[in-house]
Amino acid sequence: MEKSLPPFKVFAGTKSRYIADEICRELGVELGKMNIQHFADGEFEVSFEESIRGCEVYLVQSTFPNSDNLMELLLMIDAAKRASAKSTIAVIPYFGWARQDRKDKPRVSIAAKLVADLLSAAGVDRVITMDLHADQIQGFFNVPVDHLYGSSVFIPYIKSLKLEDMVIATPDVGGAKRANNYAKYFNVPLVLCHKQRAKANVVARMTVIGDVQDKNVVLIDDMVDTAGTITKAADLMVENGAKSVRALASHAIMSDPATDRVNESKLTEMIFTNSIPYTKDCSKCTILSVAKLIADTIRRVHTNQSISSQYLI
């Protein structure tokens, strides 16, 4: 008689329950029961309300601001380890603190490395995440990292638009590799924007490198925070003769006044995944779900199948 696979259970942090519910529907399982009790001083306590002894435990929680989401994930991992889970896998659709991935000036922290160390210290056995700000962050972990790509949902959506005279663009040189992958896939030209920052979240000057005259432009980025860069790039493309400008970004951080900037910009459409909950009123925003992508990955991890075979680029 063939031995059955060990069971797995999925649990969610407070702010990521919306996507965990979708993931569980795709997997055909019930979301696990967990309680998070808050104290008057802001502390909170995490407890699993069902046995997880001997189980693979998948903990869904993005670490977007504020820091409570990260602390909640760390406590979830610690509680799972102490409850004798067979393995603890952190599912982090959006890995926060990733912009601090190197020493770009003296006397600064490398927050991405610190967060990776905190997750390891808490007892995580594996990490599933999506569109890290920099690919090298995977090397900060001492446990396996399954790095998913939003292109798995973006590419079918771009195809559905049936855009003629399309070009792929990036709002800054740092995203050139990501945008180049899209350009190669669609066999279209790549356009770059060179920006100079006055300070963090403030763009002083931007220049377009490439031809966008009478083109339908698709800007590619990994995240949008205040939307200053992406909207400035879109407006500049239109000034240079672009017929339309759309933007794709995996993570909708959208700190104020980002929504107003997108609404007032010359962007035709702003397309995000639901890695972060975005509920503000933006008529130009389209949200694509990555729940199926994550559910398929959980299923493949559980059954020891290839993860990379589901990548488009």
Side-chain angles (χ1 to χ4, degrees):
M1 182 176 178
E2 188 176 335
K3 187 178 179 182
S4 61
L5 288 166
F8 70 87
K9 295 186 178 183
V10 180
F11 297 86
T14 305
K15 295 293 179 68
S16 293
R17 178 157 185 151
Y18 71 99
I19 192 170
D21 283 333
E22 284 190 51
I23 292 168
C24 286
R25 282 197 296 272
E26 292 286 347
L27 289 168
V29 300
E30 293 288 328
L31 184 64
K33 296 179 178 65
M34 193 176 68
N35 181 51
I36 300 175
Q37 177 184 350
H38 289 262
F39 300 103
D41 65 350
E43 274 189 33
F44 46 88
E45 175 187 79
V46 170
S47 62
F48 292 94
E49 299 299 301
E50 58 187 86
S51 175
I52 57 173
R53 183 178 294 273
C55 290
E56 283 181 12
V57 176
Y58 293 84
L59 307 175
V60 183
Q61 176 77 313
S62 286
T63 57
F64 55 93
N66 56 39
S67 300
D68 283 358
N69 296 304
L70 173 59
M71 190 65 191
E72 198 174 280
L73 176 59
L74 294 171
L75 292 176
M76 288 162 66
I77 294 167
D78 183 68
K81 181 180 67 174
R82 295 178 189 280
S84 301
K86 178 186 175 184
S87 59
T88 305
I89 298 97
V91 181
I92 311 173
Y94 169 66
F95 183 84
W97 310 93
R99 282 173 283 189
Q100 302 169 56
D101 62 341
R102 65 196 185 282
K103 281 193 72 172
D104 55 353
K105 59 183 179 181
R107 299 176 295 280
V108 295
S109 63
I110 304 179
K113 170 60 175 166
L114 175 60
V115 171
D117 287 344
L118 288 170
L119 291 167
S120 294
V124 77
D125 294 300
R126 189 182 200 99
V127 172
I128 298 172
T129 189
M130 187 182 79
D131 280 338
L132 290 166
H133 188 61
D135 287 345
Q136 67 265 22
I137 291 172
Q138 295 173 74
F140 293 170
F141 290 88
N142 295 319
V143 297
V145 177
D146 295 310
H147 187 203
L148 311 182
Y149 297 96
S151 56
S152 299
V153 295
F154 287 140
I155 284 176
Y157 186 79
I158 295 172
K159 286 180 177 178
S160 73
L161 297 174
K162 297 179 179 177
L163 298 173
E164 296 180 356
D165 300 317
M166 184 173 75
V167 298
I168 298 295
T170 175
D172 57 45
V173 177
K177 180 182 176 183
R178 183 183 298 108
N180 189 50
N181 289 336
Y182 281 83
K184 283 183 177 179
Y185 183 88
F186 286 104
N187 194 27
V188 297
L190 176 66
V191 172
L192 303 177
C193 285
H194 175 65
K195 69 180 179 183
Q196 293 177 311
R197 286 196 183 275
K199 57 182 179 179
N201 293 130
V202 178
V203 179
R205 194 174 65 164
M206 183 177 284
T207 308
V208 175
I209 305 170
D211 180 24
V212 295
Q213 182 72 39
D214 297 323
K215 305 292 185 181
N216 288 302
V217 180
V218 179
L219 282 160
I220 308 292
D221 211 346
D222 66 316
M223 65 175 70
V224 174
D225 189 351
T226 60
T229 298
I230 205 88
T231 53
K232 193 176 184 70
D235 292 348
L236 193 58
M237 298 285 182
V238 172
E239 288 171 16
N240 280 266
K243 284 196 288 189
S244 70
V245 183
R246 288 172 173 81
L248 306 178
S250 295
H251 310 300
I253 301 173
M254 295 295 278
S255 308
D256 289 335
T259 298
D260 290 337
R261 283 177 172 168
V262 170
N263 280 328
E264 293 165 6
S265 73
K266 294 177 182 176
L267 276 169
T268 304
E269 188 179 18
M270 181 76 241
I271 305 148
F272 296 116
T273 75
N274 62 343
S275 64
I276 297 175
Y278 178 63
T279 57
K280 294 181 181 177
D281 184 20
C282 181
S283 59
K284 295 184 178 183
C285 289
T286 299
I287 308 295
L288 305 179
S289 177
V290 291
K292 187 177 187 304
L293 172 65
I294 294 172
D296 286 346
T297 302
I298 289 174
R299 195 179 288 113
R300 287 166 184 263
V301 168
H302 179 63
T303 55
N304 298 311
Q305 295 181 57
S306 169
I307 303 296
S308 59
S309 60
Q310 63 185 328
Y311 298 164
L312 296 179
I313 57 174

